[in-house]
Amino acid sequence: MPVSKPRIYLDHAATSPLRLEAKVAMEDGFAIWANPSSPHAEGRKAKAALEDARERCKRSLGWDGELIFTSGASEAAALALNHAKAGARLVSAIEHDCILGIAKTAERMPIRETGALDLDALAEAVQRERPLVAVQQVNSETGHAQHMDDIAQIIVDAGGLLLADCSQSAGKLALPDCDMAIISAHKFGGPIGIGALLVRDYGLLDPVGGHERGYRRGTENMPGALGMAAALQASLSEPLCAPDCRAAMDRLAETVRQAGGVWMSDRFDYPTDYIHAVAAPSMSATAQVMRLDMAGFAVSQGSACSSGTMKTSHVLGAMNVDRAIADRVIRMSIGWTTTPDEIDAFTEAWKTLV
């Protein structure tokens, strides 16, 4: 029988494959099965393992504040946006759908065509009583990174609070100087179903009762916490984008340009190495994703939470990308399993397709 060709996974921004270190840590966690809130010996053993995972996560992230385990980024965002001791909620126009869905009445800050938050508009908008401003450090659709230091300074000067969505940057880039941050384990090789809200001080939040020192309802996912801690530690031991992968990505970018496509990172003032938006010369994004899937490549059309809706990207719209181009944009994202040969194989497949 013919041997099937191995598939190539280039959708790490949606979910990165589980790291072996995380799998082993979770297996250890499943053996410590008691409720961490129980007062008996079994519960205390589970609590000790949970607290050890909490401290390891904080050390890996360089975070000296508090860490509240959650079921993922969406719950962390809801905790921050619904319970922060702040006034008006402000969000950038290119935030993830979960942020925009939670903060439906929040004022949306405009974005420049380069993908950067309009700092002049932000400086004007924060002139109100203690606003909470949500900004995604790295955009999940385009890979563009915000100038978080400049953003933080404007918010601090106005007496506001910065909520940084670090779902696409934790384990890859240093955390920004912020009051609260959102992380999600499955974006850096940890398990699905575990994340955290980092809080500079518990006093920034109204407690909701229950677990996690009264700031989260629901029993903690202790095996998941152990897996997240292990994945974070593993992510620190390897380069974000190795030189050979970066060179392969440069070859892909040049191929896209020569084919008459659009390498969206060319317009950004701060692109990242690991998430890229690519527009074909004429083929729709939907057709590209389907045909590449049949050819053995996993890529996506925007973020995973909205890629099946067939709607035009609000991110590209906020950046004033022409609709005809936006409808042809796919996202390819690399991670800890990606090799230069895989990127080169994708380059040839995309070139042949379009």
Side-chain angles (χ1 to χ4, degrees):
M1 295 181 63
V3 178
S4 60
K5 189 176 180 181
R7 289 182 59 80
I8 293 177
Y9 185 77
L10 298 172
D11 199 19
H12 286 255
T15 291
S16 203
L18 187 69
R19 293 176 181 267
L20 177 60
E21 297 91 339
K23 181 176 182 292
V24 171
M26 292 178 70
E27 290 172 347
D28 292 340
F30 285 125
I32 310 172
W33 44 262
N35 190 318
S37 296
S38 297
H40 45 61
E42 290 82 359
R44 294 196 302 273
K45 182 179 180 180
K47 182 70 170 180
L50 182 71
E51 293 308 314
D52 179 67
R54 192 190 312 276
E55 291 305 313
R56 286 190 288 130
C57 285
K58 288 167 59 175
R59 284 196 302 271
S60 295
L61 293 166
W63 182 256
D64 58 3
E66 309 295 344
L67 185 150
I68 301 169
F69 285 118
T70 66
S71 61
S74 294
E75 184 189 354
L79 277 175
L81 289 165
N82 292 333
H83 299 286
K85 295 178 180 178
R89 270 54 171 168
L90 310 175
V91 301
S92 85
I94 57 174
E95 292 306 294
H96 190 277
D97 280 343
C98 86
I99 297 285
L100 299 180
I102 295 165
K104 292 180 180 178
T105 62
E107 181 178 349
R108 298 192 183 186
M109 301 293 96
I111 300 296
R112 299 188 185 278
E113 292 188 355
T114 60
L117 182 63
D118 187 325
L119 298 184
D120 293 333
L122 174 65
E124 182 178 348
V126 294
Q127 299 305 316
R128 60 190 75 187
E129 185 178 355
R130 196 175 169 82
L132 173 68
V133 185
V135 179
Q136 196 175 40
Q137 184 178 16
V138 172
N139 187 264
S140 56
E141 292 190 28
T142 66
H144 176 268
Q146 295 294 337
H147 296 287
M148 298 299 286
D149 288 345
D150 295 338
I151 291 170
Q153 191 60 58
I154 291 171
I155 295 170
V156 168
D157 290 346
L161 301 176
L162 172 58
L163 168 62
D165 181 357
C166 300
S167 299
Q168 296 291 351
S169 56
K172 303 176 181 72
L173 304 177
L175 291 180
D177 185 10
C178 58
D179 300 286
M180 289 177 272
I182 296 165
I183 68 171
S184 181
H186 71 103
K187 304 297 187 180
F188 48 78
I192 291 175
I194 185 74
L197 175 65
L198 312 183
V199 186
R200 185 67 64 191
D201 184 273
Y202 282 129
L204 296 176
L205 290 175
D206 287 319
V208 298
H211 300 272
E212 290 297 279
R213 294 170 174 79
Y215 288 89
R216 190 231 176 192
R217 297 190 183 278
T219 303
E220 294 95 342
N221 176 1
M222 198 267 294
L226 267 61
M228 180 165 75
L232 266 176
Q233 289 180 304
S235 70
L236 298 177
S237 65
E238 61 191 24
L240 174 61
C241 186
D244 50 0
C245 280
R246 190 174 294 112
M249 199 69 78
D250 289 341
R251 291 192 290 272
L252 169 60
E254 187 57 31
T255 296
V256 170
R257 299 182 192 110
Q258 290 181 358
V262 179
W263 186 252
M264 296 298 297
S265 292
D266 285 341
R267 68 186 289 163
F268 302 152
D269 51 5
Y270 193 5
T272 55
D273 293 325
Y274 54 94
I275 301 175
H276 289 286
V278 182
S282 59
M283 186 179 294
S284 73
T286 302
Q288 290 177 75
V289 170
M290 293 175 62
R291 294 186 186 186
L292 286 166
D293 184 38
M294 290 187 290
F297 297 87
V299 295
S300 64
Q301 182 180 354
S303 65
C305 293
S306 60
S307 61
T309 63
M310 307 295 287
K311 65 182 181 181
T312 301
S313 166
H314 72 279
V315 172
L316 299 179
M319 291 171 54
N320 200 31
V321 175
D322 185 271
R323 173 67 182 269
I325 296 175
D327 287 344
R328 303 196 303 268
V329 172
I330 63 171
R331 179 188 70 182
M332 62 89 63
S333 49
I334 65 174
W336 69 276
T337 63
T338 308
T339 66
D341 288 344
E342 289 180 331
I343 299 173
D344 286 336
F346 172 79
T347 300
E348 290 305 312
W350 185 88
K351 180 180 179 181
T352 300
L353 177 66
V354 303

